[in-house]
Amino acid sequence: MPLLSIRNVSKVYYPRNQQSVLALDQCNLDIAKNEFCVIVGPSGCGKTTLLNIIAGFENLTEGSIVLNGSPLAAPGTPVSPGPDRMVVFQHGGLFPWMRALENVCFGPIARGQMTPAEAREKARSLMARVDLHDMEDLYPEDMSSGMRRRLEIIRSIIGEPEILLMDEPFRALDAMTKAVVQDFLLKIFDTSPHTIFFITHDLTEAIFLADKVYVMTSRPGRLKKMLSVNLPRPRTLDLVNASEFLRLKDELTDVIHEEAQKAFELGEREAAR
Ligand code: ADP
Ligand code: MG
């Protein structure tokens, strides 16, 4: 049984005084426990919409989502966020007024999941795993962007969510920092597996991280193609030059190119209206 099962999910937005927008059209996707699932697709195709529905920030219009055998979302049923689904946002979500350690401990203490002492102990051991052991008293603004991203990952896994939802989390990082943070994320994934739903528009990142890469169509978003990435783990950066890696990237580039072209044409038509 898949951990997360997305069945025929459609989403229509009804913006005030504007035409409705069909953002997702009959999406189907299963994610197995401890699978690293990556979604790629052209801008505006509905990736964030799908993540927001899983996270409980948006309702769906049609279809259903089942997490661990229990219905999570269905039409007309209000959904809500929960500690079983933690989100790492593109623009970050650390509390600027809290020090690093407090940021990591806040969620599980606030939810009554851990005592402050338990949370601090777990936070310290997780921070050490991403080389942040000396940073517990720093405020986010005193950390580099790469450190903040590592801290956010730790903060989102301390409460052991069922699934980690990541929406282009490394988009704003420079190439070097991105490589370092990807490496830390994979180290965590290799030593204590998690189920991850990860959105990116970076195809190298997609293949480097994923067990499976799903390509979404231009709007309305559907899941068009799935590529299995059977590259061995643990993965290191030199893998990006391996022939199988390059073959997968070629294949993915072709599919994406076709969709990007369609998205561009859709944009042109809408602009001309
Ligand atoms: P992506 O993350 O793939 O770039 P989004 O999920 O953000 O795409 O958006 C998908 C489509 O839905 C876009 O056309 C976007 O303009 C539209 N959309 C997103 N959020 C809303 C909203 N709250 N109201 C109306 N339209 C929206
Ligand atoms: Mg988005």
Side-chain angles (χ1 to χ4, degrees), residues 13 15 21 23 42-49 58 219:
Y13 287 110
V21 178
S43 181
C45 75
K47 303 181 294 296
T48 296
T49 299
E58 289 279 0
R219 208 187 79 215

Side-chain angles (χ1 to χ4, degrees), residues 47-48 90 167-168:
K47 303 181 294 296
T48 296
Q90 188 176 323
D167 192 355
E168 305 199 45

Side-chain angles (χ1 to χ4, degrees), residues 12-202:
V12 183
Y13 287 110
Y14 297 98
R16 218 172 291 161
N17 304 327
Q18 284 172 44
Q19 273 197 323
S20 60
V21 178
L22 177 62
L24 295 174
D25 186 22
Q26 302 281 322
C27 290
N28 285 288
L29 171 64
D30 281 339
I31 306 180
K33 191 169 168 58
N34 298 335
E35 189 166 72
F36 202 133
C37 166
V38 175
I39 308 286
V40 295
S43 181
C45 75
K47 303 181 294 296
T48 296
T49 299
L50 185 57
L51 183 140
N52 283 344
I53 292 172
I54 302 169
F57 303 145
E58 289 279 0
N59 289 305
L60 48 72
T61 311
E62 272 180 33
S64 67
I65 300 185
V66 173
L67 177 66
N68 230 345
S70 304
L72 186 71
T77 312
V79 285
S80 51
D84 52 348
R85 291 152 283 143
M86 289 302 292
V87 182
V88 179
F89 296 102
Q90 188 176 323
H91 299 295
L94 294 171
F95 298 126
W97 61 88
M98 286 186 189
R99 296 174 193 272
L101 188 74
E102 294 171 88
N103 256 294
V104 178
C105 294
F106 176 80
I109 296 174
R111 290 190 294 269
Q113 212 179 350
M114 295 177 198
T115 65
E118 284 165 352
R120 276 197 298 275
E121 190 189 331
K122 185 148 186 205
R124 287 195 172 108
S125 96
L126 286 170
M127 285 175 75
R129 284 174 58 190
V130 294
D131 278 0
L132 290 177
H133 34 274
D134 296 332
M135 314 289 170
E136 38 181 86
D137 289 330
L138 294 185
Y139 287 98
E141 67 175 3
D142 299 321
M143 306 175 85
S144 71
S145 55
M147 288 175 191
R148 284 198 292 266
R149 297 276 79 187
R150 275 138 63 191
L151 193 66
E152 292 209 45
I153 294 169
I154 290 307
R155 188 176 75 149
S156 60
I157 62 173
I158 184 170
E160 297 182 3
E162 296 276 5
I163 187 164
L164 192 57
L165 306 169
M166 307 181 83
D167 192 355
E168 305 199 45
F170 308 149
R171 181 176 190 151
L173 301 178
D174 63 83
M176 288 295 290
T177 308
K178 189 190 251 196
V180 170
V181 183
Q182 286 170 343
D183 198 44
F184 277 115
L185 178 61
L186 283 188
K187 273 199 189 115
I188 289 172
F189 183 77
D190 289 332
T191 48
S192 58
H194 286 77
T195 310
I196 304 183
F197 178 93
F198 187 106
I199 295 172
T200 181
H201 66 277
D202 175 339

